[in-house]
Short mmCIF file of all heavy atoms in Angstrom, two decimals:
data_model
loop_
_atom_site.label_atom_id
_atom_site.label_comp_id
_atom_site.label_asym_id
_atom_site.label_seq_id
_atom_site.Cartn_x
_atom_site.Cartn_y
_atom_site.Cartn_z
N ILE A 54 86.28 -85.33 -195.78
CA ILE A 54 85.35 -85.14 -194.67
C ILE A 54 85.17 -86.44 -193.89
O ILE A 54 85.24 -86.46 -192.65
CB ILE A 54 83.98 -84.65 -195.19
CG1 ILE A 54 84.11 -83.22 -195.74
CG2 ILE A 54 82.94 -84.68 -194.06
CD1 ILE A 54 82.84 -82.71 -196.39
N ILE A 55 84.98 -87.54 -194.61
CA ILE A 55 84.80 -88.84 -193.96
C ILE A 55 86.04 -89.21 -193.14
O ILE A 55 85.94 -89.68 -192.01
CB ILE A 55 84.50 -89.93 -195.02
CG1 ILE A 55 83.14 -89.68 -195.66
CG2 ILE A 55 84.56 -91.33 -194.39
CD1 ILE A 55 82.84 -90.59 -196.83
N HIS A 56 87.22 -88.98 -193.73
CA HIS A 56 88.47 -89.34 -193.05
C HIS A 56 88.61 -88.59 -191.73
O HIS A 56 88.92 -89.20 -190.69
CB HIS A 56 89.66 -89.01 -193.95
CG HIS A 56 91.00 -89.23 -193.29
ND1 HIS A 56 91.65 -90.45 -193.29
CD2 HIS A 56 91.79 -88.38 -192.58
CE1 HIS A 56 92.78 -90.34 -192.61
NE2 HIS A 56 92.89 -89.10 -192.18
N PHE A 57 88.37 -87.28 -191.75
CA PHE A 57 88.62 -86.47 -190.56
C PHE A 57 87.44 -86.44 -189.58
O PHE A 57 87.52 -85.78 -188.55
CB PHE A 57 89.02 -85.05 -190.97
CG PHE A 57 90.42 -84.98 -191.52
CD1 PHE A 57 90.63 -84.85 -192.89
CD2 PHE A 57 91.52 -85.07 -190.67
CE1 PHE A 57 91.92 -84.81 -193.40
CE2 PHE A 57 92.80 -85.03 -191.18
CZ PHE A 57 93.01 -84.90 -192.55
N GLN A 58 86.38 -87.17 -189.91
CA GLN A 58 85.29 -87.32 -188.95
C GLN A 58 85.36 -88.66 -188.22
O GLN A 58 84.70 -88.85 -187.22
CB GLN A 58 83.93 -87.18 -189.64
CG GLN A 58 83.62 -85.75 -190.05
CD GLN A 58 82.19 -85.56 -190.53
OE1 GLN A 58 81.63 -84.48 -190.41
NE2 GLN A 58 81.61 -86.61 -191.07
N LYS A 59 86.23 -89.58 -188.71
CA LYS A 59 86.34 -90.89 -188.10
C LYS A 59 87.07 -90.80 -186.76
O LYS A 59 88.09 -90.13 -186.63
CB LYS A 59 87.07 -91.85 -189.03
CG LYS A 59 86.25 -92.28 -190.25
CD LYS A 59 87.02 -93.27 -191.11
CE LYS A 59 86.18 -93.74 -192.29
NZ LYS A 59 86.93 -94.71 -193.14
N SER A 60 86.56 -91.55 -185.78
CA SER A 60 87.18 -91.54 -184.44
C SER A 60 88.56 -92.19 -184.48
O SER A 60 89.45 -91.80 -183.72
CB SER A 60 86.28 -92.27 -183.45
OG SER A 60 86.03 -93.60 -183.88
N ARG A 61 88.76 -93.18 -185.35
CA ARG A 61 90.07 -93.83 -185.42
C ARG A 61 91.16 -92.90 -185.93
O ARG A 61 92.35 -93.17 -185.77
CB ARG A 61 89.99 -95.09 -186.29
CG ARG A 61 89.83 -94.82 -187.78
CD ARG A 61 89.79 -96.12 -188.56
NE ARG A 61 89.76 -95.89 -189.99
CZ ARG A 61 89.66 -96.86 -190.90
NH1 ARG A 61 89.59 -98.13 -190.50
NH2 ARG A 61 89.64 -96.59 -192.18
N ASN A 62 90.75 -91.81 -186.57
CA ASN A 62 91.71 -90.81 -187.03
C ASN A 62 91.76 -89.63 -186.07
O ASN A 62 92.26 -88.56 -186.41
CB ASN A 62 91.34 -90.32 -188.43
CG ASN A 62 91.48 -91.42 -189.47
OD1 ASN A 62 92.38 -92.24 -189.41
ND2 ASN A 62 90.56 -91.45 -190.43
N ASN A 63 91.20 -89.83 -184.85
CA ASN A 63 91.13 -88.79 -183.82
C ASN A 63 90.33 -87.58 -184.29
O ASN A 63 90.56 -86.46 -183.84
CB ASN A 63 92.54 -88.32 -183.40
CG ASN A 63 93.35 -89.43 -182.76
OD1 ASN A 63 92.82 -90.51 -182.49
ND2 ASN A 63 94.62 -89.18 -182.51
N GLY A 64 89.39 -87.81 -185.22
CA GLY A 64 88.65 -86.72 -185.82
C GLY A 64 87.41 -86.32 -185.06
O GLY A 64 87.16 -86.76 -183.94
N GLY A 65 86.64 -85.43 -185.68
CA GLY A 65 85.41 -84.91 -185.10
C GLY A 65 84.58 -84.23 -186.17
O GLY A 65 84.87 -84.34 -187.37
N ASP A 66 83.56 -83.52 -185.77
CA ASP A 66 82.66 -82.85 -186.72
C ASP A 66 83.41 -81.82 -187.55
O ASP A 66 84.08 -80.94 -187.02
CB ASP A 66 81.51 -82.18 -185.98
CG ASP A 66 80.58 -83.20 -185.33
OD1 ASP A 66 80.53 -84.34 -185.82
OD2 ASP A 66 79.92 -82.85 -184.33
N VAL A 67 83.28 -81.96 -188.87
CA VAL A 67 83.94 -81.06 -189.81
C VAL A 67 82.97 -79.97 -190.24
O VAL A 67 81.87 -80.24 -190.70
CB VAL A 67 84.47 -81.83 -191.04
CG1 VAL A 67 85.03 -80.86 -192.08
CG2 VAL A 67 85.53 -82.83 -190.63
N GLU A 68 83.39 -78.74 -190.08
CA GLU A 68 82.55 -77.60 -190.50
C GLU A 68 82.72 -77.31 -191.99
O GLU A 68 81.76 -77.02 -192.70
CB GLU A 68 82.95 -76.36 -189.70
CG GLU A 68 82.18 -75.10 -190.12
CD GLU A 68 82.66 -73.88 -189.36
OE1 GLU A 68 82.59 -73.86 -188.12
OE2 GLU A 68 83.11 -72.91 -190.02
N GLU A 69 83.96 -77.41 -192.49
CA GLU A 69 84.23 -77.02 -193.86
C GLU A 69 85.53 -77.66 -194.37
O GLU A 69 86.47 -77.83 -193.60
CB GLU A 69 84.34 -75.50 -193.95
CG GLU A 69 84.72 -74.96 -195.31
CD GLU A 69 85.07 -73.48 -195.28
OE1 GLU A 69 85.62 -73.02 -194.25
OE2 GLU A 69 84.80 -72.79 -196.27
N VAL A 70 85.54 -78.04 -195.63
CA VAL A 70 86.75 -78.48 -196.31
C VAL A 70 86.95 -77.61 -197.53
O VAL A 70 86.06 -77.53 -198.38
CB VAL A 70 86.68 -79.97 -196.72
CG1 VAL A 70 87.87 -80.32 -197.63
CG2 VAL A 70 86.69 -80.87 -195.51
N LYS A 71 88.08 -76.95 -197.60
CA LYS A 71 88.40 -76.10 -198.76
C LYS A 71 89.34 -76.88 -199.68
O LYS A 71 90.52 -77.09 -199.37
CB LYS A 71 89.05 -74.80 -198.32
CG LYS A 71 89.24 -73.78 -199.45
CD LYS A 71 89.89 -72.52 -198.94
CE LYS A 71 88.99 -71.76 -198.00
NZ LYS A 71 87.80 -71.22 -198.72
N TYR A 72 88.79 -77.36 -200.79
CA TYR A 72 89.57 -78.13 -201.77
C TYR A 72 88.86 -78.05 -203.11
O TYR A 72 87.63 -78.19 -203.17
CB TYR A 72 89.71 -79.59 -201.34
CG TYR A 72 90.57 -80.39 -202.31
CD1 TYR A 72 91.96 -80.37 -202.24
CD2 TYR A 72 89.97 -81.15 -203.32
CE1 TYR A 72 92.73 -81.07 -203.13
CE2 TYR A 72 90.75 -81.85 -204.23
CZ TYR A 72 92.12 -81.81 -204.13
OH TYR A 72 92.89 -82.50 -205.03
N PRO A 73 89.59 -77.79 -204.22
CA PRO A 73 91.05 -77.57 -204.27
C PRO A 73 91.41 -76.17 -203.78
O PRO A 73 90.54 -75.30 -203.65
CB PRO A 73 91.35 -77.73 -205.76
CG PRO A 73 90.09 -77.29 -206.43
CD PRO A 73 88.95 -77.74 -205.54
N THR A 74 92.70 -75.96 -203.56
CA THR A 74 93.22 -74.65 -203.17
C THR A 74 94.20 -74.19 -204.24
O THR A 74 94.36 -74.85 -205.28
CB THR A 74 93.93 -74.73 -201.81
OG1 THR A 74 95.05 -75.62 -201.90
CG2 THR A 74 92.98 -75.23 -200.73
N GLU A 75 94.88 -73.08 -203.99
CA GLU A 75 95.83 -72.57 -204.98
C GLU A 75 97.07 -73.45 -205.11
O GLU A 75 97.83 -73.34 -206.06
CB GLU A 75 96.26 -71.12 -204.64
CG GLU A 75 97.15 -70.97 -203.42
CD GLU A 75 96.38 -70.98 -202.12
OE1 GLU A 75 95.14 -71.15 -202.16
OE2 GLU A 75 97.00 -70.80 -201.06
N LYS A 76 97.22 -74.39 -204.15
CA LYS A 76 98.35 -75.31 -204.21
C LYS A 76 97.83 -76.72 -204.48
O LYS A 76 96.93 -77.19 -203.78
CB LYS A 76 99.13 -75.29 -202.90
CG LYS A 76 99.77 -73.96 -202.58
CD LYS A 76 100.47 -74.00 -201.24
CE LYS A 76 101.09 -72.65 -200.92
NZ LYS A 76 101.75 -72.66 -199.58
N LYS A 77 98.39 -77.39 -205.47
CA LYS A 77 97.95 -78.74 -205.81
C LYS A 77 98.20 -79.70 -204.65
O LYS A 77 99.26 -79.68 -204.04
CB LYS A 77 98.68 -79.25 -207.06
CG LYS A 77 98.26 -78.55 -208.35
CD LYS A 77 98.97 -79.17 -209.54
CE LYS A 77 98.55 -78.48 -210.83
NZ LYS A 77 99.23 -79.07 -212.02
N GLY A 78 97.20 -80.53 -204.37
CA GLY A 78 97.36 -81.55 -203.34
C GLY A 78 97.23 -81.02 -201.92
O GLY A 78 97.53 -81.75 -200.97
N VAL A 79 96.78 -79.76 -201.77
CA VAL A 79 96.65 -79.16 -200.43
C VAL A 79 95.19 -78.85 -200.16
O VAL A 79 94.49 -78.30 -201.02
CB VAL A 79 97.49 -77.88 -200.31
CG1 VAL A 79 97.27 -77.22 -198.96
CG2 VAL A 79 98.97 -78.20 -200.50
N ALA A 80 94.71 -79.20 -198.97
CA ALA A 80 93.35 -78.91 -198.55
C ALA A 80 93.37 -78.26 -197.17
O ALA A 80 94.29 -78.49 -196.39
CB ALA A 80 92.51 -80.18 -198.52
N TYR A 81 92.35 -77.45 -196.88
CA TYR A 81 92.18 -76.86 -195.56
C TYR A 81 90.91 -77.43 -194.94
O TYR A 81 89.83 -77.34 -195.53
CB TYR A 81 92.07 -75.33 -195.65
CG TYR A 81 93.28 -74.67 -196.28
CD1 TYR A 81 93.20 -74.03 -197.51
CD2 TYR A 81 94.51 -74.70 -195.64
CE1 TYR A 81 94.31 -73.44 -198.09
CE2 TYR A 81 95.63 -74.11 -196.19
CZ TYR A 81 95.53 -73.47 -197.42
OH TYR A 81 96.64 -72.89 -197.99
N VAL A 82 91.06 -78.02 -193.76
CA VAL A 82 89.93 -78.64 -193.06
C VAL A 82 89.65 -77.84 -191.80
O VAL A 82 90.55 -77.64 -190.97
CB VAL A 82 90.22 -80.11 -192.72
CG1 VAL A 82 89.05 -80.73 -191.97
CG2 VAL A 82 90.54 -80.92 -193.98
N THR A 83 88.41 -77.39 -191.64
CA THR A 83 88.01 -76.63 -190.46
C THR A 83 87.03 -77.45 -189.64
O THR A 83 86.01 -77.91 -190.16
CB THR A 83 87.35 -75.29 -190.86
OG1 THR A 83 88.23 -74.56 -191.72
CG2 THR A 83 87.04 -74.45 -189.64
N PHE A 84 87.34 -77.63 -188.37
CA PHE A 84 86.48 -78.40 -187.47
C PHE A 84 85.56 -77.46 -186.70
O PHE A 84 85.83 -76.26 -186.57
CB PHE A 84 87.34 -79.20 -186.49
CG PHE A 84 88.20 -80.25 -187.14
CD1 PHE A 84 89.54 -80.00 -187.38
CD2 PHE A 84 87.67 -81.48 -187.52
CE1 PHE A 84 90.34 -80.95 -187.99
CE2 PHE A 84 88.45 -82.43 -188.13
CZ PHE A 84 89.80 -82.17 -188.37
N GLU A 85 84.48 -78.02 -186.17
CA GLU A 85 83.56 -77.22 -185.36
C GLU A 85 84.15 -76.94 -183.98
O GLU A 85 83.88 -75.91 -183.38
CB GLU A 85 82.22 -77.95 -185.23
CG GLU A 85 81.46 -78.06 -186.56
CD GLU A 85 80.11 -78.72 -186.40
OE1 GLU A 85 79.74 -79.05 -185.26
OE2 GLU A 85 79.42 -78.89 -187.43
N ASP A 86 84.96 -77.87 -183.48
CA ASP A 86 85.54 -77.74 -182.15
C ASP A 86 87.07 -77.62 -182.27
O ASP A 86 87.72 -78.51 -182.84
CB ASP A 86 85.18 -78.97 -181.31
CG ASP A 86 85.65 -78.85 -179.86
OD1 ASP A 86 86.38 -77.90 -179.54
OD2 ASP A 86 85.30 -79.74 -179.06
N PRO A 87 87.68 -76.57 -181.73
CA PRO A 87 89.14 -76.42 -181.83
C PRO A 87 89.91 -77.54 -181.14
O PRO A 87 91.07 -77.80 -181.48
CB PRO A 87 89.41 -75.07 -181.15
CG PRO A 87 88.21 -74.81 -180.31
CD PRO A 87 87.06 -75.44 -181.02
N ALA A 88 89.28 -78.23 -180.19
CA ALA A 88 89.96 -79.32 -179.49
C ALA A 88 90.26 -80.49 -180.43
O ALA A 88 91.21 -81.25 -180.22
CB ALA A 88 89.11 -79.81 -178.31
N VAL A 89 89.44 -80.61 -181.49
CA VAL A 89 89.67 -81.70 -182.46
C VAL A 89 90.99 -81.51 -183.20
O VAL A 89 91.65 -82.47 -183.57
CB VAL A 89 88.48 -81.79 -183.45
CG1 VAL A 89 88.72 -82.91 -184.48
CG2 VAL A 89 87.18 -82.05 -182.71
#
Side-chain angles (χ1 to χ4, degrees):
I54 292 174
I55 293 173
H56 175 87
F57 286 104
Q58 288 189 152
K59 288 182 177 180
S60 58
R61 71 178 185 183
N62 295 323
N63 297 352
D66 293 334
V67 174
E68 177 184 301
E69 176 191 33
V70 171
K71 188 181 293 293
Y72 182 82
T74 62
E75 71 278 3
K76 297 178 181 178
K77 290 183 179 180
V79 176
Y81 301 113
V82 179
T83 305
F84 296 99
E85 294 183 2
D86 185 352
V89 179

